[in-house]
Amino acid sequence: MRPLPEDMPLPPAPSRLPTPRTGLLLVVLLLSFALGSAWLVAGQWQSESSRAALEDLRARTTRLHHLDTLLLQVLDAESSVRGYLLTLNPGYLTPYQDGPQALERTLDALRADVWTSVDQREAVEHLALLVDMRWSLLSRAIERGIPADADLPDGGPGKQVTDDLRTRIRALRTQTQAEIDATQDGAFERFGDARAMNRVLGASVLALLLVLVVVLYRQDRLREHIANLLRSENDRLHTEVAHRTQALSSLATYLTNAREAEQARLARELHDELGALLTAAKLDAGWIARKLPAETMTALRSRFDRLLDTLNQGIALKRKVVADLRPPLLSELGLVEALRALPDSGDIGEHGGKLEIDLPDALPELPAQTALALYRIAQEALTNVRRYASATRVQLRLHTEGDELVLEIEDNGVGFDPSARDHDRHGLAGMAHRVQMLAGRLDIDSRPGAGTRISARVPFARMH
């Protein structure tokens, strides 16, 4: 059985093969994208909320620092004035002397702060007023040399102003601390919500990833199943095509052998039966011509001559038909002599083409089937040249190349395109099949306008 060509087209796979479901995979990917986007948005929201809470805490902590700094600056100024009044040492007045600029910077920082209510902004302005009042009292005490309220049992207006300043700073600190606590509570609450959201989103993404893995695994298994089905179907189709090819090849071989056998039988019958009848008729006509009187033959001579000529033509036609059906030289003298006697004359076709024959002097003894196949190939090739090639020169060569016997027929005719040849060119198909029966190879080299070369190669190893 001949192997199938690798590029031989196969019938399409049956529609019963399963197809991968891409819809579920697409839905899972879209859900994963949506949840991933939501997770990113939630993370961005959480980071922005945390950043805002930290900035708010930093601002309120800075406010507490400014309030504490304001009170400390006032107390440092009071302490420096008391030290000066007790010792009259001017060195103690340094905090008092540097105090106005530092206090002004601290009050400006408090005024620039973002307060949550009008009362708080008014409280800051009242702190500035109390600081001015306290500074005036300290300046007056320095001018008099003694504290103005030294003899008063309740400490006088200076102590009252300082106490009022402490009270208002403590109130602002309490409010600010409450805002800090509220900000922290809100941040912790948002952090808890974000953590719960992250858990839900994370679990959802993990679940979708698990589903995606399962879907991909099933898709992979489905592809593997489809691949196995395709391989099985291809193997079945290859086997079926191989069986049908073998059956067709066997049928073609049987028909070829049957035709050759029938031609041989017809050749024998024509040679034995028809040849004997024609020869007997010719002999009888000659005997009759000899037995008739001379005066009768004179009148019938033209008829007898025409009869004898017709019988001779019939005998020649019989010989030609027998030679075409089963060349006697092939079985009697071998392939070389049969090929040498192939053309009736040197002319090939209507264009006066000359046939050049290049044959070896001798060949190893060939099986009858091999000799007949090569003879038929040469006969069919020369017939095609006469009919279609319009050639002026034809070469027929028979030679050996290595372990192969090669028969070549080459012409300089019109040529053709072998890849586009019609399906009804049974002559070329018959030549190819005869060579395949001998495990050989038929090569056709032709181009439009460049002639044709047909080469039949038969291995010697298959001739024995």
Side-chain angles (χ1 to χ4, degrees), residues 63-78:
R63 183 192 302 172
L64 291 178
H65 172 70
H66 290 156
L67 292 173
D68 293 338
T69 301
L70 180 65
L71 181 59
L72 183 61
Q73 289 171 345
V74 172
L75 295 178
D76 284 346
E78 289 180 354

Side-chain angles (χ1 to χ4, degrees), residues 283 285-293 297:
L283 292 174
W287 183 84
I288 293 172
R290 290 192 302 272
K291 294 298 182 180
L292 287 176
M297 281 301 300

Side-chain angles (χ1 to χ4, degrees), residues 180-203:
I180 291 175
D181 295 338
T183 300
Q184 289 178 343
D185 293 340
F188 281 117
E189 183 178 356
R190 286 191 297 272
F191 179 76
D193 294 340
R195 183 169 59 183
M197 185 182 300
N198 287 334
R199 288 174 180 172
V200 173
L201 292 176

Side-chain angles (χ1 to χ4, degrees), residues 177-248:
Q177 188 63 47
E179 293 175 358
I180 291 175
D181 295 338
T183 300
Q184 289 178 343
D185 293 340
F188 281 117
E189 183 178 356
R190 286 191 297 272
F191 179 76
D193 294 340
R195 183 169 59 183
M197 185 182 300
N198 287 334
R199 288 174 180 172
V200 173
L201 292 176
S204 301
V205 170
L206 290 177
L208 283 177
L209 289 177
L210 180 61
V211 172
L212 181 61
V213 170
V214 173
V215 170
L216 291 177
Y217 174 74
R218 294 186 63 184
Q219 294 281 69
D220 184 68
R221 293 294 302 273
L222 184 58
R223 290 191 189 96
E224 184 179 357
H225 180 57
I226 292 175
N228 292 332
L229 287 178
L230 287 176
R231 282 194 295 270
S232 176
E233 192 67 19
N234 286 338
D235 293 340
R236 185 186 67 80
L237 291 175
H238 274 288
T239 303
E240 183 176 352
V241 170
H243 288 165
R244 292 185 180 181
T245 302
Q246 183 181 16
L248 291 175

Side-chain angles (χ1 to χ4, degrees), residues 269-300:
E269 290 185 358
L270 289 175
H271 181 270
D272 297 338
E273 303 295 335
L274 182 59
L277 290 175
L278 290 175
T279 302
K282 181 180 178 181
L283 292 174
D284 289 342
W287 183 84
I288 293 172
R290 290 192 302 272
K291 294 298 182 180
L292 287 176
E295 60 277 9
T296 304
M297 281 301 300
T298 301
L300 299 177

